[in-house]
Amino acid sequence: MMQIWNRALAALALVAAAVLASAVHAAPAHPADEDGYELWLRYRPLPQAHAPRWNTIVFDGAPSATVRAAIDELRRGAQGMTGKDLALGTRVTDGAVVLARAGKLPAGVDGAGLADLGREGYLLKSATVAGKRVTVIAANDDIGLLYGAFGLLRAANTGKPLDRLDERSAPKLQLRVLNHWDNLDRSVERGYAGQSIWNWWELPDVRDRRYVDYARANASLGINGTVLNNVNSKPEILTAPWIAKAAALADVLRPYGIKVYLSARFSTPLELKETKTADPLSPEVAAWWRNKADEIYRAIPDFGGFLVKANSEGQPGPQDYHRTHVDGANMLAAALAPHNGVVMWRAFVYAAEKPDDRAKQAYDEFKPLDGKFARNVLVQVKNGAIDFQPREPFHPLFGAMPATPLMMEFQITKEYLGFAMHMAYLGPLFEETLTSDTMRQPGGLTVAQVLEDAAHGKRPTGMAGVANVGSSRTWSGSHFDQANWYAYGRFAWDPQGSARAFAEEWATQTFARDPKAVQGIVDMMMMSREAVVNYMTPLGLHHLMDTGHHHGPGPWVDNLGRPDWNPTYYHKADRQGIGFDRTARGSNALAQYAPALAARWSDPRTTPPELLLWFHHLPWDYAMPSGRTLWAELVGHYDRGVAQAEELRTRWERMKPFVDARRYDEVRERLDVQVKEAHWWRDASVAYFQSVSGLALPPGARPPARSLDEYKAIRFPYAPGH
Ligand code: BDP
């Protein structure tokens, strides 16, 4: 009996083994689990046909730390993509990657145009040198070689033909900067990715290896500056212990071409009790800042400069002494000028005491100051006139201060677009702003052109992005939020780039090279921001988020200390209609735009529907181009947003075969949250606007799941980032 059993079991085991074996052969190899730490710098094996045939890295001379970083990255990339290490050499062989500074190009390699590419630009060329097939990375400076190395790895990683390379690239903006809103206690204002990556307590002695990976990621995009601390700054950051900490970070970041900047609190000397005032015109104060700058530059010889939030949201500034932004900025600029440092002076100012439309205040304060700032001051302007909303028209200051360098400020961390929980690829938002025509010049003048300042080549240019980087293993709090860091960096390099192209690069490098996967993921990314606009703030509505933490809907909030913090201030919904009248009949914010544009947007019929309620207060039964009433259209947008969130989840399910189980599940979990919260946003908003309009729901529209009072009662006492 026993034997029979044994034989039966053995036979069963054989069958099972055979089934298992065939299953193993039949199933596609599923990618191994990943945690996202490698970002887009994943160098996975390439199929033979596309794999680079590199075997040596040739560099003539003693490599600097920057060249060593380039060599290390090329070796890392080659190892990952081909399984082979690259030898270092000085003689050109078949399959060599030649790193060459201008003047040291191998004979026969055409370096035409290199001189025009500046310090940071590079050429990538397939060439034949002394009968050997080589790949040349050429640049005027070592940092260009590092950027070129990353460019070459990106080309390989995204399947570009490597035997016909002929690429030239140079950044169109000079300062490409991340703004960390990181506090000295390691919390992060509007941070949804854990703590600050700067471990201030352990610095300067302990230098987390992660700082190097941060530097690599930024250098791979061409980001060349980082403001280490929050714009809501503390005086201590400018004291000796913190300067030493910043200097340690600067040492780590320097080989990667990244300069360190600090946010300076305007009242620092006064608060440290080292002066009796912070008045920018006081000689004592100016001398204090000069000495401070000298002290910083002794520790950090290539220190970038100061970012300043002054007279904004309660921060101190020159106006406390009846001085102007120019007085304040130029005083700091004078302290930095001997060291070639810059001041990035923020135009994000508004005051509750002013009864005027908040959207107008930055323009009103800054436009008259055009041309008065010192040469090393950039005025840093948010993309829109309110505050990083899911959609805003471009800020009217762009194009309106032709004699002042304007620097763009985007927010990469998604304070108003679902934190790190909702998928919202910001590429289309960046692109929409950058391609907007300010109409300030015959033939057009886009925001990107204003930033590039083509007409005045000699002045500094730049772009800032409020970072979404933290201590989270994924860096950005979620896998897809990494794409926003990526796209920001690529747009800072080329403000005329394309959101879709950047998404394709990112998805290919980050997730999978299969064209079906890339197409599927990119399509999701490209629809995701509009989905958020639809279920949060459609048709030009804005700032409807709940108080303080800005998580979830709060269109009913009307009890805050300042009127311009209340959502009711922004939507102005009543029994008759909805929207902010910014035409001549209302706040006339439209007059801040070029006349031709103001004329176009002053008529609701010629205002793009996506900006309609930003500029117009309209009756609920206003007839939309679709033939529906405004009310029906509004509810329709909320419904579409919910459907799009659901669509994102369905599309992700189709990506399952292409993505490792861990990242698949982690994204999927968040998409479940997004669907749930899209419903919440839609239902709470519809319930509220219905209570105001008193209108019945359009035919077929689903009634909100809960009562308005239930939505109003929801609280989030420990929401992150606040
Ligand atoms: C708002 C944020 C606030 C920032 C402010 C700013 O809610 O935390 O301090 O912008 O940019 O969006 O200064």
Side-chain angles (χ1 to χ4, degrees):
M1 192 61 178
M2 209 48 202
Q3 243 186 348
I4 297 175
W5 266 115
N6 280 348
R7 241 179 282 148
L9 276 176
L12 250 174
L14 271 178
V15 172
V19 168
L20 212 79
S22 70
V24 165
H25 284 290
H30 200 81
D33 270 359
E34 296 185 35
D35 63 10
Y37 182 83
E38 289 174 278
L39 295 161
W40 48 90
L41 301 175
R42 289 161 69 257
Y43 304 113
R44 292 296 181 269
L46 276 163
Q48 200 59 28
H50 294 284
R53 292 182 220 296
W54 311 326
N55 52 31
T56 337
I57 301 176
V58 175
F59 180 75
D60 182 8
S64 64
T66 300
V67 170
R68 277 204 304 277
I71 292 171
D72 287 350
E73 198 69 30
L74 287 167
R75 290 178 61 185
R76 185 184 280 116
Q79 248 154 5
M81 291 188 285
T82 69
K84 282 189 251 144
D85 195 5
L86 298 178
L88 286 186
T90 45
R91 288 200 30 241
V92 171
T93 58
D94 231 15
V97 177
V98 182
L99 294 174
R101 296 266 299 248
K104 290 205 170 181
L105 258 60
V109 176
D110 173 16
L114 186 54
D116 302 335
L117 296 181
R119 265 191 70 237
E120 300 179 308
Y122 60 84
L123 298 177
L124 296 181
K125 279 188 180 267
S126 307
T128 304
V129 173
K132 317 269 195 261
R133 297 289 300 153
V134 302
T135 306
V136 180
I137 304 175
N140 296 306
D141 203 312
D142 290 352
I143 187 60
L145 294 179
L146 178 62
Y147 289 156
F150 278 113
L152 178 60
L153 290 166
R154 180 164 55 237
N157 218 351
T158 55
K160 298 255 163 60
L162 296 175
D163 50 354
R164 277 171 278 145
L165 282 173
D166 187 10
E167 199 181 309
R168 60 172 48 237
S169 192
K172 294 193 182 136
L173 300 179
Q174 293 160 15
L175 311 181
R176 306 177 297 279
V177 180
L178 286 183
N179 287 184
H180 287 265
W181 285 0
D182 295 17
N183 297 315
L184 307 188
D185 63 1
R186 257 193 116 172
S187 62
V188 181
E189 181 151 344
R190 312 309 177 182
Y192 314 105
Q195 288 185 289
S196 168
I197 56 163
W198 317 129
N199 193 330
W200 291 116
W201 184 253
E202 297 187 355
L203 282 163
D205 305 301
V206 177
R207 301 175 181 196
D208 192 334
R209 301 298 174 275
R210 196 171 176 141
Y211 304 148
V212 173
D213 290 330
Y214 167 86
R216 289 174 50 231
N218 282 320
S220 78
L221 307 171
I223 290 172
N224 66 359
T226 179
V227 183
L228 300 177
N229 62 315
N230 192 352
V231 285
N232 299 317
S233 178
K234 297 280 185 237
E236 290 83 358
I237 190 71
L238 297 184
T239 60
W242 294 88
I243 293 173
K245 293 170 196 283
L249 289 172
D251 288 343
V252 178
L253 303 178
R254 185 170 298 113
Y256 298 86
I258 301 168
K259 282 188 183 182
V260 157
Y261 300 73
L262 294 173
S263 292
R265 185 168 168 85
F266 200 76
S267 54
T268 300
L270 177 67
E271 285 185 61
L272 293 178
K273 300 196 170 48
E274 295 179 14
T275 58
K276 286 191 211 53
T277 169
D279 180 347
L281 298 194
S282 144
E284 184 201 13
V285 170
W288 187 92
W289 283 102
R290 265 198 315 275
N291 290 334
K292 188 50 73 179
D294 295 347
E295 178 190 348
I296 296 173
Y297 278 92
R298 277 195 297 278
I300 313 173
D302 54 354
F303 178 64
F306 294 135
L307 170 64
V308 187
K309 171 176 178 178
N311 294 120
S312 160
E313 299 187 325
Q315 296 296 314
Q319 292 173 351
D320 304 348
Y321 304 93
H322 307 288
R323 312 297 186 198
T324 66
H325 291 292
V326 168
D327 296 329
N330 289 0
M331 183 273 292
L332 294 177
L336 295 165
H339 309 281
N340 296 318
V342 299
V343 174
M344 299 172 290
W345 191 268
R346 294 176 89 226
F348 178 68
V349 295
Y350 63 98
E353 303 74 51
K354 296 193 186 140
D356 209 1
D357 179 0
R358 170 172 162 188
K360 290 169 63 181
Q361 295 187 21
Y363 180 101
D364 285 344
E365 278 190 40
F366 278 85
K367 162 83 184 157
L369 306 178
D370 189 25
K372 301 195 173 130
F373 288 97
R375 294 187 65 81
N376 56 335
V377 176
L378 296 102
V379 173
Q380 183 167 309
V381 183
K382 287 190 182 182
N383 59 289
I386 296 293
D387 198 3
F388 300 139
Q389 294 302 296
R391 169 165 283 121
E392 296 192 34
F394 73 87
H395 201 298
L397 276 174
F398 291 113
M401 293 182 71
T404 307
L406 297 189
M407 183 164 175
M408 172 65 75
E409 179 175 319
F410 284 125
Q411 193 186 48
I412 309 169
T413 189
K414 306 201 313 298
E415 173 182 356
Y416 296 98
L417 290 96
F419 298 2
M421 294 299 265
H422 295 201
M423 181 185 296
Y425 170 53
L426 299 179
L429 187 160
F430 302 155
E431 184 175 69
E432 184 175 296
T433 307
L434 292 166
T435 55
S436 294
D437 186 358
T438 65
M439 299 180 80
R440 290 280 178 190
Q441 219 167 258
L445 179 70
T446 65
V447 172
Q449 287 170 317
V450 171
L451 299 179
E452 291 170 25
D453 195 31
H456 301 89
K458 293 209 171 53
R459 298 190 311 210
T461 55
M463 188 185 286
V466 180
N468 67 351
V469 170
S471 62
S472 144
R473 191 67 193 158
T474 60
W475 296 89
S476 301
S478 81
H479 298 293
F480 272 89
D481 275 292
Q482 297 176 353
N484 293 324
W485 181 5
Y486 187 92
Y488 164 72
R490 300 288 283 139
F491 273 113
W493 183 273
D494 182 5
Q496 301 188 39
S498 130
R500 175 171 277 275
F502 295 153
E504 280 168 3
E505 286 175 11
W506 176 81
T508 310
Q509 296 170 94
T510 306
F511 275 115
R513 296 196 184 99
D514 187 310
K516 279 207 286 298
V518 175
Q519 177 79 35
I521 292 172
V522 170
D523 286 348
M524 288 176 66
M525 291 167 75
M526 293 303 289
M527 68 183 278
S528 59
R529 179 266 191 145
E530 204 60 37
V532 173
V533 171
N534 281 329
Y535 61 69
M536 288 188 186
T537 51
L539 295 173
L541 291 174
H542 48 288
H543 221 304
L544 305 186
M545 294 76 191
D546 203 358
T547 306
H549 48 65
H550 297 150
H551 171 60
W556 46 81
V557 176
D558 62 359
N559 60 351
L560 301 181
R562 320 170 39 145
D564 52 7
W565 280 351
N566 285 317
T568 51
Y569 172 94
Y570 296 99
H571 63 65
K572 303 216 186 302
D574 56 21
R575 205 72 174 171
Q576 281 70 48
I578 182 171
F580 201 126
D581 187 354
R582 294 193 163 107
T583 68
R585 286 176 305 278
S587 80
N588 207 16
L590 265 172
Q592 297 181 338
Y593 288 95
L597 192 56
R600 183 185 298 167
W601 287 352
S602 66
D603 179 349
R605 313 257 146 225
T606 50
T607 304
E610 60 272 18
L611 298 178
L612 194 63
L613 302 177
W614 188 282
F615 289 116
H616 302 282
H617 186 86
L618 297 170
W620 292 107
D621 63 357
Y622 173 81
M624 296 292 288
S626 63
R628 294 198 286 186
T629 64
L630 173 58
W631 168 238
E633 189 84 11
L634 184 67
V635 176
H637 270 81
Y638 277 113
D639 283 333
R640 188 179 315 156
V642 170
Q644 286 168 317
E646 284 168 349
E647 174 76 16
L648 284 173
R649 182 167 64 183
T650 312
R651 288 182 183 219
W652 184 242
E653 283 164 1
R654 288 188 221 131
M655 296 298 111
K656 190 165 185 170
F658 302 106
V659 179
D660 56 285
R662 175 168 175 173
R663 288 192 296 168
Y664 176 82
D665 287 342
E666 287 174 353
V667 171
R668 168 64 209 236
E669 259 169 13
R670 282 177 153 68
L671 288 169
D672 283 341
V673 173
Q674 187 165 6
V675 168
K676 198 173 67 191
E677 295 188 351
H679 277 278
W680 167 39
W681 260 101
R682 180 267 179 205
D683 283 357
S685 306
V686 169
Y688 169 71
F689 288 127
Q690 194 183 15
S691 78
V692 177
S693 71
L695 293 168
L697 285 177
R702 188 175 38 77
R706 298 161 76 177
S707 75
L708 178 57
D709 284 338
E710 285 174 277
Y711 293 118
K712 286 184 177 176
I714 300 174
R715 295 281 178 277
F716 301 95
Y718 299 106
H722 181 42

XYZ file of all heavy atoms in Angstrom, residues 181 189-190 231-232 309 313 346 348 382 387-388 415-416 550, ligand 1:
161
model
N 11.897 73.595 -0.122
C 11.214 74.298 0.960
C 11.459 73.503 2.252
O 10.542 73.133 2.964
C 9.734 74.441 0.654
C 9.429 75.490 -0.393
C 10.318 76.293 -1.059
C 8.124 75.863 -0.884
N 9.652 77.128 -1.923
C 8.311 76.888 -1.845
C 6.830 75.423 -0.609
C 7.238 77.485 -2.517
C 5.759 76.013 -1.280
C 5.971 77.036 -2.221
N 8.146 72.059 4.079
C 6.894 72.750 3.770
C 6.405 72.261 2.412
O 7.150 72.277 1.425
C 7.126 74.272 3.749
C 5.854 75.040 3.466
C 5.839 76.430 4.100
O 6.655 76.691 5.000
O 4.991 77.235 3.686
N 5.157 71.815 2.389
C 4.546 71.264 1.168
C 5.330 70.068 0.628
O 5.416 69.862 -0.590
C 4.398 72.337 0.089
C 3.784 73.633 0.570
C 2.489 73.420 1.315
N 1.952 74.680 1.829
C 0.822 74.726 2.554
N 0.161 73.623 2.856
N 0.378 75.875 2.987
N 11.839 79.008 1.566
C 11.685 80.455 1.344
C 11.176 81.157 2.603
O 11.450 82.336 2.807
C 10.735 80.764 0.169
C 11.404 80.489 -1.156
C 9.420 80.017 0.293
N 10.399 80.449 3.406
C 10.043 80.969 4.729
C 11.235 80.620 5.626
O 11.265 79.593 6.269
C 8.756 80.328 5.241
C 7.587 80.633 4.312
O 7.432 81.761 3.850
N 6.797 79.624 4.003
N 12.142 85.726 -0.118
C 10.698 85.973 -0.050
C 10.520 87.116 0.936
O 10.760 86.943 2.133
C 9.985 84.720 0.441
C 8.498 84.903 0.755
C 7.846 83.576 1.150
C 6.385 83.756 1.518
N 5.734 82.462 1.852
N 3.142 87.172 2.671
C 2.584 86.251 3.672
C 3.269 86.430 5.030
O 3.636 85.468 5.689
C 2.707 84.797 3.187
C 1.951 84.545 1.902
C 1.915 83.076 1.482
O 2.904 82.362 1.719
O 0.879 82.659 0.925
N 11.710 87.105 -5.067
C 10.413 86.560 -5.483
C 9.348 87.641 -5.647
O 9.269 88.586 -4.851
C 9.916 85.517 -4.476
C 10.805 84.303 -4.443
C 10.348 83.332 -3.381
N 9.371 82.381 -3.843
C 8.259 82.064 -3.187
N 7.933 82.679 -2.072
N 7.447 81.134 -3.646
N 6.203 86.816 -5.563
C 4.988 86.253 -4.957
C 4.621 87.102 -3.740
O 4.992 86.809 -2.621
C 5.232 84.802 -4.562
C 4.063 84.153 -3.881
C 2.899 83.894 -4.573
C 4.138 83.792 -2.543
C 1.814 83.288 -3.938
C 3.056 83.191 -1.904
C 1.898 82.941 -2.600
N 6.057 83.280 -10.114
C 5.331 82.006 -10.237
C 4.646 81.921 -11.597
O 4.318 82.944 -12.190
C 4.290 81.871 -9.122
C 4.915 81.587 -7.750
C 3.859 81.222 -6.708
C 4.526 81.006 -5.342
N 3.554 80.598 -4.298
N -1.495 80.969 -7.303
C -0.612 80.124 -6.505
C -0.611 78.660 -6.963
O -1.264 77.831 -6.328
C -1.034 80.216 -5.037
C 0.058 79.733 -4.106
O 1.132 79.385 -4.598
O -0.171 79.707 -2.881
N 0.138 78.330 -7.985
C 0.392 76.927 -8.343
C -0.891 76.091 -8.449
O -0.943 74.938 -8.002
C 1.315 76.272 -7.317
C 2.669 76.905 -7.178
C 3.252 77.067 -5.923
C 3.381 77.323 -8.301
C 4.516 77.627 -5.784
C 4.654 77.892 -8.174
C 5.218 78.037 -6.905
N 1.336 70.552 -4.233
C 0.538 71.054 -3.122
C -0.953 71.108 -3.452
O -1.789 70.803 -2.614
C 1.059 72.459 -2.763
C 0.237 73.190 -1.730
C 0.787 74.594 -1.446
O 1.847 74.961 -1.997
O 0.149 75.313 -0.665
N -1.244 71.516 -4.662
C -2.645 71.713 -5.047
C -3.130 70.667 -6.051
O -4.189 70.833 -6.638
C -2.829 73.105 -5.653
C -2.573 74.251 -4.693
C -1.359 74.913 -4.673
C -3.566 74.682 -3.814
C -1.127 75.978 -3.807
C -3.344 75.743 -2.947
C -2.125 76.385 -2.947
O -1.911 77.443 -2.090
N -4.544 72.251 2.288
C -4.926 72.236 0.870
C -5.258 70.848 0.333
O -5.178 70.614 -0.871
C -3.832 72.892 0.002
C -3.627 74.335 0.320
N -2.425 74.983 0.177
C -4.481 75.268 0.803
C -2.549 76.246 0.548
N -3.786 76.438 0.942
C 2.052 78.759 -1.113
C 2.295 77.749 -0.056
C 3.129 78.262 1.075
C 4.374 78.932 0.528
C 3.983 80.016 -0.445
C 5.162 80.632 -1.144
O 1.045 77.314 0.433
O 3.446 77.163 1.893
O 5.143 79.474 1.552
O 3.188 79.485 -1.457
O 5.369 80.305 -2.296
O 1.713 78.037 -2.247
O 5.875 81.435 -0.575
